[in-house]
Each structure stands twice: as structure tokens, then as C-alpha cells.
Amino acid sequence: MQHYTSLNDIQDLSAIIEKAIQLKKNPFQYNDIGKNKTLIMLFFNASLRTRLSTERAAKNLGMEVSVLNISNAWNMEFEDGTVMNLNTSEHIKEAAEVVSQYGDIIAVRAFPTLTDKAKDTSELIINSFKKYATVPIVNMESATDHPLQALADGITLEEQKSEKKPKVVLSWAPHPKALPHSVANGFVHLMNKMDVNFVITHPSGYELDPNITKNAQVVYNQEEAFKDADFVYTKNWSSFSDYGKVLQSDADWMITQKKLGKAKFMHCLPIRRNVVAEDAVLDGNNSLVIEQANNRTYAAQVVLKELLTQLK
Ligand code: CP
């Protein structure tokens, strides 16, 4: 593994999930592998889980960690050939190579604009880091993907499933703000690689990028989609076709305990209570949200360990 910017960077997903489960049993078994190595985490956007779990993962491997909120650095330019006489002060060409002098792995969080579809779809920021940095890049959520979250969700599903081939439903839910597609896309990538019966449900107009969903089954009736579900993974996302727009905020799509039935509930967090899912769901025994957050550490740890092994 040279970089970790998508689940496709993992050759054998089942093997990586198994390695993560083993790391979880003994998180300090490789606490020397990152000695004298530094992880630099660059945040263009806010984070609670990604920041703390990735730092913890790196420290479990013996790494040093430096964290920079990009709002505290120079405004960065990503376009090639720009005359930089406006408000950007530093080009990614220098910035990525400079940061590579200070760290052995660079992790980046950069959300989409949700206004410039072409720019977001091209993954300009994460791909620019890949292009100009001289060390491995880890995606801590980019314009279109969240592969650390997806891997943590894969670990959680593997740990929690009681059927060999469970039915997993990805359900859109309401939210007052326009949110990225990254988590939903990452989960679809995961489902394409796991042995599951996968169904997506959302109101009309919220179809995800067809290049990502490909042949996934979409059921527009949420109740029908939830029938016999073992897991319901819930997430809001804005429209992809009417890019970045909130088309409706239909409270009928909120996840309730009645709709959920016996299915286990998953969400990446943070979650708006009684908007996305009611209290009874989040406080109930079938909620896996804390375990998903816990598994973020072992997802990051197994990825960092693979990258460190390549550095040696
Ligand atoms: N799920 C997730 O990525 O959480 P944060 O945005 O808090 O990092």
C-alpha cells in the first residue's frame, strides 16, 4: 500500500479487517514500528473522531504526531498556472513537498465545496497532495470519500453480523444542512467489496453518483427497503444531480425504533438527535454508533501499520 486514499488501495479487504480485529485485541503489539516516524495530520475542516482516533492509532504504533488546522496556515492555492495576486499565499507544489520534509506520512481532511461539482469530483485537494508530496498520503475524508470510516464500518459489520450474508440497507435521512456524499460513497464502496445483500433507499432526487453506485439496488420506499434488514446504515447527503442542494427535509425519513425493528443501527457520527434518528434508536441496544467510533482507531492503525511497513 503506497497511499490510503480509497478502499481500492487495500488489496485484500477481508485480510485487513481481520488484522484490525487482531490489533484491537492487543493495540500495543507493534508499538515500535513507528519509532522515529511522524504522522502529520492536516485539517481543512473540523473533526472529533477522525482527529482523535487517528492520533491514538499512530501513538499505539509508537509514532510522533503533528496536527495542523489549515485555517491557521497560509491560504493554499491548488490550481496550476494561477497568478496568485488574490488571497492565496502558498501553492500546493511547495506546501506538499515542504510538509513531506517534516513527516513520514501525511493525513489530509478536505471536504467538498458542494458548489463546484467538477472540482469536487476530481478530488483536487487529495490528488494534489498525492502528486506533490514525497511521502504516503492518508485520506481522512475528502470531497467524495471517507475510506477510514468505511474501513471502520467494515470491521464493525464483520464483528456484529450473525448471518453469513446479511441484508444491509443504506438509508438517507433528513438534515437541515447540505452535507457531502463522502460517507455514503465510502459505504457503497465497502458494500461492493463485502458479501452482503445491499439496498440503498432515499427520496427521489437524492441518487448518489451513478459511477459509484453502479448496479446497486435502489428502493425508493423506505419501509419496503427495511424489510428483513440486519443492518440499517443511516446518513444524510445533499443532491448529487442538483449538486449540493437540499431538495426537501422530509421528517418522514427520520429513523425510528418502530421502522428499525430488530435491525442494528449504524451511523458515522456526529448525528442530530430527533432529526436523523430518534433518541430511542440512539439510546437503544441495537445502536452500533459507539462501536463504529471505537473501530476508527483500529481502522487507522491497520492502515498506518501497512504504510509504515512499506517505508521500512
Ligand atoms: N465520522 C467522522 O469522521 O467524525 P468526525 O467528523 O468527527 O471526524
Side-chain angles (χ1 to χ4, degrees), residues 43 46-51 109 111 140-141 146 149 183 268-270 296:
F43 285 93
S47 168
L48 187 151
R49 280 144 290 273
T50 304
R51 178 172 176 159
R109 164 165 283 200
F111 288 174
M140 296 194 296
E141 188 170 346
H146 197 354
Q149 181 68 53
V183 170
C268 63
L269 302 181
R296 289 295 307 271

Side-chain angles (χ1 to χ4, degrees), residues 51-276:
R51 178 172 176 159
L52 294 176
S53 63
T54 309
E55 180 163 349
R56 181 171 154 89
K59 288 181 172 169
N60 285 352
L61 296 168
M63 297 185 83
E64 298 291 327
V65 179
S66 297
V67 183
L68 179 64
N69 294 328
I70 290 289
S71 58
N72 295 332
W74 304 107
N75 272 350
M76 219 176 277
E77 178 63 54
F78 288 89
E79 301 292 343
D80 220 5
T82 318
V83 178
M84 289 169 56
N85 60 356
L86 294 173
N87 57 4
T88 52
S89 307
E90 169 142 37
H91 202 279
I92 182 65
K93 287 185 182 179
E94 286 78 45
E97 207 167 340
V98 166
V99 176
S100 304
Q101 311 304 307
Y102 309 142
D104 302 279
I105 298 174
I106 301 172
V108 180
R109 164 165 283 200
F111 288 174
T113 61
L114 290 182
T115 53
D116 187 336
K117 190 174 188 174
K119 183 177 173 184
D120 293 344
T121 307
S122 76
E123 287 284 12
L124 179 65
I125 296 182
I126 204 87
N127 283 335
S128 297
F129 273 99
K130 267 173 90 170
K131 187 169 176 185
Y132 297 116
T134 56
V135 299
I137 300 298
V138 174
N139 181 347
M140 296 194 296
E141 188 170 346
S142 63
T144 69
D145 206 352
H146 197 354
L148 284 175
Q149 181 68 53
L151 182 53
D153 295 335
I155 297 166
T156 309
L157 279 167
E158 200 55 44
E159 288 178 327
Q160 299 287 337
K161 72 179 188 188
S162 49
E163 302 291 324
K164 189 171 181 309
K165 188 170 181 171
K167 178 175 175 181
V168 183
V169 181
L170 170 63
S171 179
W172 182 93
H175 196 285
K177 289 175 66 180
L179 296 190
H181 309 97
S182 322
V183 170
N185 288 344
F187 193 70
V188 173
H189 290 313
L190 177 75
M191 293 296 90
N192 287 340
K193 291 172 186 290
M194 290 185 82
D195 189 20
V196 292
N197 289 317
F198 181 48
V199 176
I200 305 174
T201 185
H202 55 70
S204 180
Y206 282 103
E207 291 75 12
L208 291 162
D209 182 347
N211 292 317
I212 291 172
T213 51
K214 297 191 178 107
N215 297 326
Q217 187 187 0
V218 178
V219 175
Y220 289 90
N221 181 316
Q222 193 187 39
E223 190 182 336
E224 187 187 325
F226 281 18
K227 195 167 177 300
D228 299 326
D230 297 296
F231 297 90
V232 171
Y233 195 103
T234 303
K235 186 71 186 82
N236 170 270
W237 58 87
S238 54
S239 175
F240 182 73
S241 53
D242 195 356
Y243 194 63
K245 296 286 188 308
V246 177
L247 306 180
Q248 59 167 312
S249 206
D250 189 343
D252 289 349
W253 279 75
M254 182 176 77
I255 310 300
T256 62
Q257 189 55 53
K258 186 164 176 245
K259 284 185 197 174
L260 197 62
K262 289 182 179 158
K264 302 222 192 269
F265 177 76
M266 298 179 76
H267 189 284
C268 63
L269 302 181
I271 188 165
R272 292 191 182 224
R273 280 174 173 258
N274 303 309
V275 176
V276 174

Side-chain angles (χ1 to χ4, degrees), residues 260 263-266 281-291:
L260 197 62
K264 302 222 192 269
F265 177 76
M266 298 179 76
V281 170
L282 286 159
D283 298 331
N285 292 334
N286 281 1
S287 172
L288 299 179
V289 298
I290 304 301
E291 201 44 39

